[in-house]
Amino acid sequence: MKTVLTFRASSIGDSLMGKYLLENIRAAYPDARCTLAVSSRVGMIRDLFAAYHWLEVIEVNKNPASLWRFFASGRRDIVITPYTGGVFGILPKLVARLFAKTLIGYTDASHLNRFLFTKLIQLVGRSRAPRLLESDALAAIGIPLSVERLTFTYLQQPHLLEKFGLQNGKYVVLHLFAGSDARGLSLNSKHALISSLMKVLPEDWKLALTGGDKERESLGKDLPPQVILVHTSLQELAHLIDHSACVVSLDTGAAHIAAHMGKPLVVLASHCAGTQWWSPDMYGEETRTLFSCLGICKGRHEHPGYARCLDAIDPETVASRVAVILMVK
């Protein structure tokens, strides 16, 4: 096997799992050309993998120039499509089929799959952890699972803590923004969570609140002085996470980076959107705690400006868990 490519959604969590698949393939074939293809946010994903010089990230979408570059790079020995349950449409599948000598994918509702794929992996429901689905793909192409633990490597940022007035191990990272109101908290709940966390932090500790300028400004200026607003690149975010005592995050990229790094982590996730990404089969139970409310959305995800199921999570309970983590440390 000389060339392998996997298509991924343009998100941090999905791309990290693509990296996990490719590093297992690379363990068996050290000289293989490993490529991860996304449809957008290619700059963000390249920044995410800045420390992985063996991993090529390319953009493939409906743009003619993008498709031309894609096909001009030559066919790949193995191409693996994602486990999206139907989101990966027929046109991307056709492109993958033309580009691949061997095409591996997962079952979905399409009746054309049997004409396109060399091998299909049975995908039943949404309960199987993505890490196990990656293992299924490796088994389908006959590659042993040699890298079992999920990890993440980043480029060190030596002066970053000094820049934000933070001390190693004496702050908690809080990530309240998921890029969509449907996956976020109401403004009142954000402030309530900040207030609850401040009560359990030691007096000389800080709360590093991450996110873009627009998102952080939405909280207003009435924040405790111990709350440090940080705007970082993904490499800088990884450094902040690695040197923190704990991470509290919505179910988003910051949480997945922390989980891959094995940091103590508290995740606020929407149960109706699926919590298989946070099952024990993904990251284990040693370093992460999941908070999710059952029965709030009654069969469908309700988000009238925020996610009702996330808003139902008690901030005091979250803060109590953080207090336990800090006590252990």
Side-chain angles (χ1 to χ4, degrees):
M1 188 185 301
K2 295 181 179 179
T3 55
V4 60
L5 177 144
T6 182
F7 286 92
R8 295 289 152 159
S10 304
S11 68
I12 291 172
D14 287 277
S15 295
L16 284 171
M17 294 313 299
K19 184 270 296 179
Y20 174 70
L21 172 77
L22 292 173
E23 65 187 350
N24 268 285
I25 294 174
R26 186 169 180 262
Y29 296 92
D31 296 326
R33 178 186 176 190
C34 296
T35 305
L36 189 144
V38 294
S39 62
S40 62
R41 299 177 179 176
V42 66
M44 179 188 77
I45 304 302
R46 284 174 178 161
D47 180 27
L48 177 68
F49 295 129
Y52 293 85
H53 302 298
W54 55 268
L55 178 54
E56 175 188 30
V57 180
I58 64 172
E59 187 176 50
V60 184
N61 51 37
K62 294 180 181 179
N63 185 296
S66 165
L67 289 173
W68 170 254
R69 288 192 297 268
F70 180 59
F71 284 111
S73 66
R75 299 184 77 197
R76 305 297 165 97
D77 294 328
I78 299 284
V79 173
I80 303 106
T81 60
Y83 35 85
T84 55
V87 178
F88 198 72
I90 186 61
L91 287 179
K93 288 176 182 176
L94 287 171
V95 170
R97 176 66 276 174
L98 291 171
F99 189 70
K101 296 178 182 177
T102 299
L103 182 62
I104 308 295
Y106 298 80
T107 57
D108 57 27
S110 175
H111 298 294
L112 298 177
N113 287 340
R114 60 193 180 98
F115 302 109
L116 298 174
F117 288 90
T118 309
K119 187 174 290 189
L120 276 169
I121 301 163
Q122 192 69 26
L123 186 60
V124 181
R126 300 174 61 191
S127 60
R128 192 163 171 78
R131 187 182 69 82
L132 299 183
L133 294 173
E134 305 293 353
S135 300
D136 294 342
L138 292 168
I141 53 181
I143 292 180
L145 183 66
S146 55
V147 182
E148 293 192 31
R149 183 168 169 263
L150 299 175
T151 60
F152 180 70
T153 301
Y154 65 96
L155 302 177
Q156 293 285 329
Q157 314 288 317
H159 305 293
L160 190 66
L161 297 188
E162 181 183 355
K163 173 184 174 181
F164 292 117
L166 299 170
Q167 297 182 52
N168 184 31
K170 298 183 70 173
Y171 64 93
V172 169
V173 170
L174 175 62
H175 192 82
L176 290 176
F177 310 105
S180 167
D181 290 338
R183 299 173 57 202
L185 298 167
S186 68
L187 181 59
N188 287 339
S189 289
K190 291 174 184 176
H191 278 283
L193 182 57
I194 291 172
S195 178
S196 297
L197 290 172
M198 292 308 305
K199 293 175 184 176
V200 302
L201 290 187
E203 187 174 343
D204 60 337
W205 283 42
K206 305 292 185 183
L207 188 64
L209 181 63
T210 62
D213 292 334
K214 182 180 178 180
E215 290 86 359
R216 291 181 291 110
E217 287 172 3
S218 70
L219 292 171
K221 297 181 180 180
D222 189 21
L223 293 172
Q226 295 93 336
V227 177
I228 307 299
L229 304 177
V230 295
H231 187 186
T232 64
S233 67
L234 285 179
Q235 291 298 308
E236 291 171 333
L237 176 61
H239 186 98
L240 284 181
I241 288 172
D242 194 26
H243 289 79
S244 70
C246 174
V247 176
V248 180
S249 176
L250 296 179
D251 178 7
T252 187
H256 288 292
I257 291 173
H260 277 254
M261 297 172 75
K263 295 296 296 184
L265 171 65
V266 176
V267 182
L268 283 64
S270 169
H271 196 278
C272 52
T275 55
Q276 69 274 16
W277 281 83
W278 302 105
S279 73
D281 288 329
M282 271 295 290
Y283 301 116
E285 296 181 329
E286 294 82 6
T287 61
R288 67 110 184 116
T289 302
L290 175 69
F291 285 98
S292 182
C293 282
L294 291 169
I296 299 298
C297 294
K298 298 178 180 178
R300 65 187 184 92
H301 185 53
E302 297 183 8
H303 46 92
Y306 58 90
R308 288 188 62 222
C309 51
L310 292 177
D311 233 48
I313 297 172
D314 179 24
E316 295 287 344
T317 306
V318 175
S320 296
R321 177 55 187 162
V322 172
V324 171
I325 292 172
L326 299 185
M327 190 180 303
V328 171
K329 289 182 70 66

